[in-house]
C-alpha cells in the first residue's frame, strides 16, 4: 500500500508549489507518494500574523477534502501557519515545515542558525522558537534581505550573500543552518559545501519526517 | 544509487539486533538500504555511564570500518552512547535513537512522555533531556520496572502494564509517548490504539530521520 | 479630552458583552470612556485554534472601522485571539485580556494560578504561558469543568466549586488567582475573601492596564 | 468613595517627589486620588543594596502610619527597594515601580529594553529581571551614564543621548523601552516619537496598574 | 600566616552562635582560624524580608569593625540576609550559607532537596533558588514544621520526622539533601546514614568553601 | 585521623601532574592530605569526546585500586571526563574540577566567564554549562588560542594575552573569571590583580571543595 503525503503550499503562488514539488519528489518511493497542492485562496506570500490567520479556513477546507486519500499533511511555509488549527480537524498527522526544520537541524548538531528572508521576520522567528521551547539550541538568525523573487535572478551573487549570512551565523555559534525560505532551496547543497556545515531545507526536512513516521506505522514487528 | 544506513546496536545481544532489523526494515526502499550490526565488544546491555564510555572505542572502530560503504549511522540505544564521540571521527551524519525519538515526538505534539524501563534510569533521562535543552517539552517519565527479557513472556500482561504507565503519563500532560526500550517496540501500535495518542518507537524514529536527511541530499532542485 | 477604550468581545454572544460592560464600566471616569462591542461574525464561544483564526478577519475589520474614534483596544477573550494580527493593522495599542491578567497577577504576587473552564484548555494555556516566557511564575491551572452557561444557575454551588479549585491552586503554590473565563467574573470578590488571596478578573485587568497606559500618555511633566 | 494611592519616594530628595507628583497626577480622577510622599529618613538617592536595606524600616513605619487612609502603595524607585518587606506588614497591595514598568512594557510588545542611568546598575537590573523570571522578554539595557542631576540641564543634548541609547536597544531587539530613572520622565513622549516605539515611564506604569486594580475591586458585577 | 574566617550569626541568639562554633570548628587548622560572632542588634531569629533588611546596618558595622583582622566572612543564616549589601562595603570575600549549601550539594549530585523549617519559608526559598538561576537543579523542599527550639528536645522523634521529610524529597528526585536550619545540624550524619544519600549542613559548607578559597589564594605555583 | 584526597590527572603528562601537585599542596594541613596521580594509560591531553570516553576504564581501575586509602577523588581536567562513571563505582565522593570551578566562582559573584584554551573547546563548554543547568550564571568564554605548552615560554606576553581575554569577558558581564586550563594556574594571582576581579583556578577550587566536604563529615556537633 502506498501512503500519500500531501504538501500544502498555503500561499497562492503556483510557481512556489512547482518548485516545492521538484524539491520534495526525492522523498517518495514505492511506499510513499508525495503530492503538492496550492492553496488557491491564500495570499501570494505569507509574511504576517494576518496572513497566518487568513489561510486557516481554506487550509482546513482543503485538508477536509483531501483527508480520505491522504496519510499525512505537510504545511509548507516556514512560519507554520495553521498548524495547530489543522491538527484540530483531522486525525492524520500534520507536520509544520518550520518546526521540522528545527528538529532535523538539532538531530545533526547542537546549535542551529537560520538564514531569514528579512529583518522584519526575525522577531517572529525568535518568538516561535521560544514558544516551541527550543531557545537553548538556537544560535540566532541573520537576514539576507533580498526579495524572494530576486533570489533566482543572479545565482552567483545570491549564493555569495547567503554564504556571508552563513559565515555570520557560524561566528554566532551555529553548527548547522536552516534556509528560512523556499526560494533558497536551490542553494542548499552549494551552501553546505561552501560553509562546511550541514544545511537543512525545511520542506525536505518536513516531508522526510512525515515519511519516517508513516513508514514506522507500517512496521509490524 | 542506494544510500546505506547502518544501525549499530552498541550492546552485544544479537537477538536485540535481530529485533531491531525486523522493526526498521520498513524504512528501506529503492533508495535507502538499512543494515543492522551488533557491537560484539559491547556489554550485554547498556545501563550506566560506565557502559556508555566502554562502548566508545569499539563503536568508533566499527564506524571507521563501515564508513566507506555507509551513508549514515544510527546508534540504536536510548541513552545515545558514543554519539558525540562518533561524530568526531566521521564526516557521515550519526543519529542518536534517543535524541531522534524526542524530536519525532515533538513534531507530533507539544508534550512528550517516556515509558522508562527502570526507575534507576529516570534521573539520567531527565538530565539528558536538560542537556539537550528540551525540558520545556518533557512531561516526564514513568518506569515499567519489568526486566527487558520478561517483556516478551506475557504480551497481554505487558501491554496492560505499559498502558498503565501511559495513562499516568497522560495525566502528567503527555500528548505523545516514547517507548524507552527496544523490547517495547512490538507494543507500539497496540499501545497507541489503547491510549488514543501517538507512540514513537525510537529506532524507527532515528532511521526515519536518517532516511529523510539522506534523501534530502539527493535533491537537486 | 476623553480617551475611548473599546473592549471587543470576539465571540458573538451579546449577553457576554453585556456582562463585560457591567464589569468594566468601573474603569471609566472623566478621562477614560469604556465601550464594549460584540463581534457579530465570531463564533458563539472561542475554544480552539480554529476559532482563534476565524475571528481575525472580522476583528480586523471592526478595529479598522473603530480606530478613528478609539484610543486603545482590548480583546476580551482569555486566549488572546487575534492579538498579534490586530497589532499589525493599527497604531493604537491593543491589549490582550489573558496576557494582561498574567501581568496584573504578577504585580500582586510571585506565583499565579488559573481557574480554567475545562481540562481541554489547560495544555493550550500552558503553551501560551511558555510562549510569553512566563513559565517560572506560573503555579499551574485547575479546571472547574462546568459549562460556562451553568456557572450562573446555582451561585452557591458554583462558588463552592471555584473555591475548591482555588484551594488546589494554593496547594500548588499559587499566591494569586486568575479567573479564566468571563462567566466567573461575578465570583471574583467572594472567591478572594474565601481564599484569602487576590483574585484577578482578566477583562478588568486589561481595561485597567489600558487606562493606565492612556493616562500616562496624557502626562506632560 | 475615593481610593487613595500613596506614591512613596524612598529617597529623601523632595524635588524628585515633586517631579513624581507632577507626572503621576494624570492617573487620578473622581475615583482615584494620588498623593506622593518623601521618605525623609531615606538616602538622597538609592544606588546600592545597602541603600535598599536602609530604607526598609522607615518605609515600613511610613506605610504603617498611612495605611488607615490609603488603598494602595507604590514604591517609586526603579530597584523596587523594600517591596517584599512592605508586603509583609500591610494587607494593602504594594506595587513596585520597576516591576510594573516591565509588565506594562510586556503588555505592549514582546521584547523590552531599559535605558539605565549608569553601567554600574546594569548587572543588578539583569539579576532582578532574572529573579522575576522575565529574562526571556528582556532585550537588554544600555546606560546613559549622565548624572541624574545633569539630565535636566541641557534637554536637547540629553534627548540626543537618550535617543542614541534607544537606537542601540532597538538593534538589540527591543520593541518597547523603559526609562530607568525618574529624571528621564520628561523625555518619555519625545523619545517615543523619535524612536517610533512605545516608551514606558515606570512611576506612571505603577500608578496606572495600581489604579486599575483598585477600580477592579470596586466592580460589583 | 593564619587566615581568619569570621562566621556571623545575624540573629541575636547566642546559643545558636555557640552551636555554630562547635559545628564549624572542624574546618580550622594551622592555616585557617574560624571564629563566630553574634549580631547583638539582630532579631532573635530571621524569618522575613523585614528581618533580612533590618540586619543589614548592624551587619555592615560589624564587618567594618572586623575587616582589618578577617580574611573572609560567612553569613550564617540560610536566607543569606545582607549578602549583597555586605559585598558592597568590603573587599574581603563574603560567603552566604544558603548559596554555598546549594553549590556544595550540586558538587555531590545532580538534584538537591531542602528540608525547610516551615511551610511559610518554602516560597521564599523557591524564589531565591530562581534568583540564583539554579531552578533546574532543585528537586524541591519539604517542611518539618517543628519549631526550631523543639528540634533538640526529643532527638529520636526529631530524627524520625527529618527522615520522613528526606524520604519525600528522595521521591521528588533529590539525590542530596540540605538541612535548612542550624538546629538540624546535629542530625546531619544520622540522616545521611538513614537515607543513604549525602546531607549538606549549610554552615559547614560555607566555611568549607571559604577555607578552600583562602587556601587557594595562598598558592604560589 | 588524616583524610586523603587523591587528585587524578586523567592525561598521561607527568609534568602537568607535577604542576598540579605544586599548586594544590596548599589545600592540605593536619587533617587533609593531598596526593596527585597521573593516569599513565590516558592520552597526553584531553580535547575531545573520544578522549573523554577512553580514560574511563583506566580511571575506574585507578579509583578501585586507590579507594581503600582515599577519602575523596578529584578529577583534574576541566572537561570533567569520567565524572559520572566514576561515581558509579565508588562510594567515595568524586569531584569534577570544571564543575567545582563554576560553583566556587558562583559563590564569589553572579556572572562567571571562562578563559578557554581554544575556540574549538568553547561549544563543548557551553553545552556542559547547559547540562549542569547553570546557563543563567555564565557570561561566556573567550579563547586564548595559545598552545598549552607555549603558555610557560614567555610569561609576560602570556599574561598580557590572558588579561586581554579577561577584559573581553568583563565587557561581556563577567564578575569572576575561571582559568580553563592547568597551564594558566601560575597566572591566577597576577591576573586577578590586573583585572580587579577574582580569578578561580579549577584544581584548587575542586580540592578546596573536597577538603571542605571531608572536614564537614568529621564534625560531631
Amino acid at each position: 500500500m502506498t501512503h500519500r503525503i500531501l504538501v500544502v503550499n498555503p500561499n497562492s503562488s503556483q510557481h512556489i508549489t512547482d518548485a516545492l514539488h521538484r524539491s520534495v519528489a526525492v522523498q517518495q518511493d514505492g511506499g510513499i507518494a508525495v503530492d503538492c497542492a496550492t492553496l488557491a485562496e491564500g495570499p501570494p506570500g505569507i509574511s504576517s500574523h494576518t496572513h497566518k490567520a487568513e489561510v486557516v479556513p481554506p487550509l482546513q477546507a482543503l485538508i477536509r477534502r483531501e483527508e480520505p486519500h491522504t496519510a499525512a499533511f505537510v504545511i509548507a511555509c516556514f512560519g507554520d501557519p495553521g498548524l495547530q488549527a489543522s491538527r484540530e480537524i483531522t486525525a492524520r498527522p500534520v507536520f509544520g515545515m518550520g518546526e521540522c526544520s528545527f528538529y532535523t537541524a538539532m538531530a545533526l548538531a547542537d546549535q542551529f542558525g537560520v538564514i531569514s528572508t528579512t529583518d522584519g521576520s526575525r522577531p517572529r522567528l525568535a518568538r516561535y522558537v521560544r514558544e516551541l521551547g527550543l531557545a537553548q539550541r538556537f544560535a540566532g538568525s541573520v537576514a539576507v534581505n533580498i526579495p524572494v523573487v530576486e533570489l533566482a535572478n543572479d545565482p552567483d551573487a545570491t549564493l555569495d550573500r547567503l554564504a556571508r549570512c552563513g559565515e555570520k551565523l557560524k561566528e554566532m555559534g551555529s553548527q548547522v543552518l536552516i534556509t528560512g525560505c523556499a526560494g533558497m532551496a536551490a542553494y542548499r547543497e552549494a551552501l553546505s559545501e561552501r560553509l562546511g556545515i550541514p544545511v537543512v531545507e525545511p520542506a525536505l526536512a518536513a516531508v522526510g519526517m512525515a515519511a519516517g513516521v508513516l513508514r514506522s506505522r507500517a512496521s509490524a514487528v
Side-chain angles (χ1 to χ4, degrees), chain A residues 7 14 20 62-63 92 102 141 146 151 154 160 176 183 205 218:
Chain A
V7 179
Q14 182 63 35
L20 271 170
L62 187 153
I63 287 172
R92 307 280 189 258
F102 305 151
S141 64
I146 308 178
L151 286 173
D154 185 344
D160 279 352
V176 55

Side-chain angles (χ1 to χ4, degrees), chain A residues 10 39 42-43 45-59 75 77-86 124-125 127-128 131:
Chain A
L39 191 69
I46 293 179
S47 57
S48 67
H49 288 281
T50 304
H51 291 152
K52 290 179 73 167
E54 285 171 358
V55 301
V56 169
L59 180 59
I75 299 178
C77 172
F78 194 55
D80 290 347
L83 180 57
Q84 306 290 333
S86 298
R124 276 200 304 275
L125 171 62
R127 183 169 166 143
Y128 187 44
E131 180 184 345

